[in-house]
Amino acid sequence: MPTLLIIHHTPSPFMQAMFEAVVSGATDPEIEGVEVVRRAALAVSPADVLAADGYLLGTPANLGYMSGALKHAFDVIYYPCLDSTRGRPFGLYLHGNEGTEGAERAVTSITTGLGWAKAADYVVVSGKPGKDDLETCWELGATVAAQLMQ
Ligand SMILES: Cc1cc2nc3c(=O)[nH]c(=O)nc-3n(C[C@H](O)[C@H](O)[C@H](O)COP(=O)(O)O)c2cc1C
């Protein structure tokens, strides 16, 4: 069964709400035959990434960059997964007010190096996620999961 791996750093209630909306979209009953696996960014392993067929990344903007936790995940998986995960789809949700461009740029740069395929527009939310924001997160999860349906 194809597997969607959610690699997330979730340090606050606002980010938890976004994470839950993404999971809800990815696990919608209309998406059949896709297993959804969640891993905290500080706990993800190369084996988790190699075993998955697509990825959802979730992070706050920290110091104008992605969180150290998500960067740690990339540091751990980059070389073991290079050339084995090329072409796989990914999506990104991001929370922050300032410096989100830096985080987007960094994720784009690293995923380009890995050869991952951007499967949906990045979702960037500031402040308390509203209904529309959470719907956009839901759609992100559903969109990337749907691409793994066989
Ligand atoms: C060390 C650190 C650095 C941060 N740097 C930024 C930043 O550059 N830009 C920004 O918008 N938010 C920054 N934040 C705030 C986080 O992005 C924010 O906590 C996260 O988006 C979740 O939002 P919330 O705490 O309001 O729920 C930083 C937080 C920490 C802990």
Side-chain angles (χ1 to χ4, degrees):
M1 185 185 293
T3 298
L4 174 62
L5 176 65
I6 305 177
I7 304 171
H8 64 105
H9 182 52
T10 307
S12 78
F14 289 170
M15 291 221 64
Q16 179 69 20
M18 293 175 69
F19 171 67
E20 287 175 11
V22 166
V23 171
S24 175
T27 57
D28 185 83
E30 285 194 22
I31 293 166
E32 293 173 356
V34 177
E35 185 181 1
V36 177
V37 174
R38 317 141 181 215
R39 287 284 182 272
L42 290 172
V44 75
S45 71
D48 294 324
V49 176
L50 290 169
D53 302 281
Y55 312 100
L56 277 166
L57 310 169
T59 184
N62 282 358
L63 307 174
Y65 197 77
M66 73 182 84
S67 62
L70 185 58
K71 176 60 164 51
H72 169 78
F74 281 125
D75 288 352
V76 166
I77 66 101
Y78 190 86
Y79 282 107
C81 296
L82 193 60
D83 285 332
S84 302
T85 57
R86 284 195 181 279
R88 296 184 187 175
F90 82 98
L92 168 71
Y93 66 93
L94 186 54
H95 187 276
N97 304 305
E98 293 175 356
T100 53
E101 323 77 37
E104 289 181 60
R105 208 164 36 240
V107 169
T108 297
S109 166
I110 294 171
T111 52
T112 298
L114 285 163
W116 293 0
K118 185 176 174 181
D121 287 341
Y122 295 163
V123 175
V124 182
V125 174
S126 301
K128 182 178 182 182
K131 189 167 172 287
D132 288 354
D133 296 320
L134 295 177
E135 274 176 19
T136 308
C137 289
W138 189 97
E139 278 164 20
L140 175 70
T143 299
V144 180
Q147 292 187 29
L148 301 182
M149 284 171 71
Q150 288 173 332

